[in-house]
Amino acid sequence: MRLFGVILTTCFLVYHSAAYALSGYWHYNEFLDLNPEQKQLTISLANSVRLEPQPLQATQTRPVKISVIYPGQQVSDYWSRNIRAFELRLNELDIKYEIHQVFTRPNMDVRQQSLSLMEALKNKSDYLIFTLDTTRHRKFIEHVLRGRETKLILQNITTPVKNWAHQQPWMYIGFDHEIGTGMLVDYFKKTLPSHSPYSVLYFSQGYVSEARGDTFIQAMTEYPLVSSFYTQANQESAYKITLENLKEHPEIKLLYACSTDVALGAVKALKELGREDVLINGWGGGSAELEAIQHHDLDVTVMRMNDDTGVAMAKPLSGILKGKKYQRFIPGTLRSFPVRIHPSELKR
């Protein structure tokens, strides 16, 4: 039985981590160092998230039209919690809005995503909230960027795309994957005996796997990587892969999982094999992961602040309705610090 779980939590501060290769993107702090005006906007927004909401007190000629297309059909509750916090803050700001929300499956439902994006543009949504993970997402986004009427908010990414230097989205928002990975690297280097073999269970092919998986491998040079696998970004594929993986490589002492669903699928396989000696992490610190830590199924997770990112999306909308001219910017990412908590102390 695992003796305790560890939660690595977050707050709104700037964190300088070692910069590993993430092809085609500016690292978060690298971009801010190159663009001082963006750093000031970031600090301003981060500070505003801590403040009490100030109602709009301005006349709206019509409701703000918002389209949300999220890969929310997964065990991880990040996406649903994020949009809930966003709507609650819009209500607190007394902003009249209409929101059209579509939740799809990660790495799947490409046709549904495409249709929903085209519908958002056809209906001339004021704001489109989407994500960037696959090359298909990038093509959709570039189509949106060529237009002028819809402001694009990219969720779950804080590293600007270099090729979009002169046509960036209106906002990048989320927990920085490289920073979260750095926290997990630090934890495992303190916990895992030297030269212990490990394996990486990626999300599907794309940005999240690069930012969470590749940077982890680049940082764990003193530990032998014996295998790595792309999953279908769900529990079932991670479960099947883990069974075969440990059958072929029984020497593995750590399974590094790149998402909640992947971690919980691997946990199922570990329990079935009776491999409590294998360390495994979560990613995100949502309800399912906290429950897994309580049951001694996960050893550690990095927790992102869902409410903060939802609130941070709502604040600039209020500013624009008040007549402020916001530049495109990235909101403050989240510095994290470790907190060790015994499972019995966790409360849902």
Side-chain angles (χ1 to χ4, degrees):
M1 178 179 290
R2 304 184 199 298
L3 296 180
F4 58 80
V6 176
I7 300 175
L8 306 174
T9 63
T10 62
C11 66
F12 263 108
L13 293 170
V14 175
Y15 177 76
H16 291 273
S17 59
Y20 299 103
L22 190 59
S23 178
Y25 302 88
W26 276 297
H27 298 282
Y28 178 78
N29 286 313
E30 174 190 18
F31 182 83
L32 293 186
D33 288 342
L34 290 170
N35 299 274
E37 75 286 356
Q38 296 289 323
K39 181 177 288 189
Q40 188 55 49
L41 286 167
T42 294
I43 293 170
S44 175
L45 181 61
N47 289 336
S48 72
V49 169
R50 302 189 186 101
L51 302 176
E52 290 294 318
Q54 300 296 320
L56 182 60
Q57 295 182 341
T59 302
Q60 285 184 250
T61 56
R62 61 174 178 81
V64 178
K65 295 170 66 174
I66 303 166
S67 293
V68 180
I69 305 167
Y70 275 175
Q73 291 185 23
Q74 49 184 305
V75 176
S76 171
D77 57 2
Y78 171 74
W79 302 97
S80 59
R81 286 177 176 268
N82 170 265
I83 203 65
R84 192 181 311 143
F86 176 57
E87 290 194 73
L88 287 171
R89 181 47 60 100
L90 289 176
N91 292 335
E92 290 174 335
L93 292 170
D94 199 23
I95 293 175
K96 295 180 177 64
Y97 65 94
E98 296 173 355
I99 191 162
H100 178 66
Q101 179 178 309
V102 176
F103 275 8
T104 62
R105 294 170 294 177
N107 194 41
M108 303 177 78
D109 296 340
V110 175
R111 178 173 171 78
Q112 177 62 57
Q113 290 176 349
S114 179
L115 291 173
S116 297
L117 285 164
M118 293 303 104
E119 183 181 353
L121 296 180
K122 182 180 178 181
N123 293 337
K124 297 183 179 180
S125 296
D126 298 297
Y127 298 90
L128 170 61
I129 310 175
F130 191 46
T131 189
L132 170 60
D133 188 28
T134 69
T135 53
R136 290 191 182 101
H137 290 165
R138 186 178 292 233
K139 291 177 181 178
F140 294 150
I141 290 164
E142 288 172 352
H143 181 76
V144 176
L145 292 178
R146 285 193 288 269
R148 296 294 179 184
E149 295 181 336
T150 300
K151 292 181 172 62
L152 178 63
I153 298 174
L154 283 188
Q155 172 59 260
N156 203 34
I157 174 172
T158 61
T159 52
V161 177
K162 289 184 176 181
N163 284 345
W164 298 342
H166 302 295
Q167 200 174 28
Q168 291 286 352
W170 187 66
M171 177 189 286
Y172 294 85
I173 181 74
F175 177 79
D176 190 275
H177 305 295
E178 290 184 277
I179 292 175
T181 298
M183 295 172 60
L184 291 168
V185 166
D186 291 343
Y187 173 79
F188 284 126
K189 283 185 175 180
K190 294 174 183 176
T191 307
L192 198 63
S194 298
H195 308 295
S196 298
Y198 76 99
S199 178
V200 171
L201 299 176
Y202 285 109
F203 199 60
S204 55
Q205 284 187 294
Y207 171 76
V208 170
S209 287
E210 288 182 47
R212 296 180 181 179
D214 290 350
T215 56
F216 185 84
I217 292 170
Q218 291 163 4
M220 295 286 283
T221 52
E222 60 269 51
Y223 295 87
L225 173 69
V226 298
S227 61
S228 62
F229 300 90
Y230 285 106
T231 69
Q232 294 179 4
N234 58 37
Q235 289 189 74
E236 186 61 24
S237 64
Y239 163 73
K240 292 178 180 178
I241 287 170
T242 300
L243 289 177
E244 292 298 320
N245 190 16
L246 289 177
K247 181 179 179 180
E248 185 173 350
H249 300 285
E251 72 277 17
I252 287 171
K253 295 302 180 185
L254 163 66
L255 286 176
Y256 177 75
C258 289
S259 79
T260 296
D261 292 56
V262 170
L264 296 181
V267 162
K268 180 182 175 183
L270 290 175
K271 294 170 83 170
E272 188 172 307
L273 295 170
R275 291 296 305 270
E276 294 181 350
D277 60 305
V278 178
L279 295 176
I280 184 166
N281 65 285
W283 234 111
S287 299
E289 290 191 3
L290 296 183
E291 184 174 344
I293 286 180
Q294 284 181 308
H295 292 120
H296 311 283
D297 293 333
L298 289 177
D299 295 282
V300 62
T301 189
V302 59
M303 180 182 286
R304 49 192 175 185
M305 299 292 101
N306 305 332
D307 290 354
D308 285 353
T309 53
V311 170
M313 289 193 302
K315 175 62 178 177
L317 272 67
S318 174
I320 284 183
L321 290 170
K322 291 177 181 177
K324 295 181 180 179
K325 293 184 178 180
Y326 274 87
Q327 303 174 47
R328 288 188 169 94
F329 65 96
I330 313 166
T333 192
L334 311 171
R335 183 186 176 181
S336 310
F337 55 92
V339 178
R340 179 169 292 185
I341 303 176
H342 192 280
S344 64
E345 297 173 348
L346 289 175
K347 295 181 179 180
R348 293 297 302 279

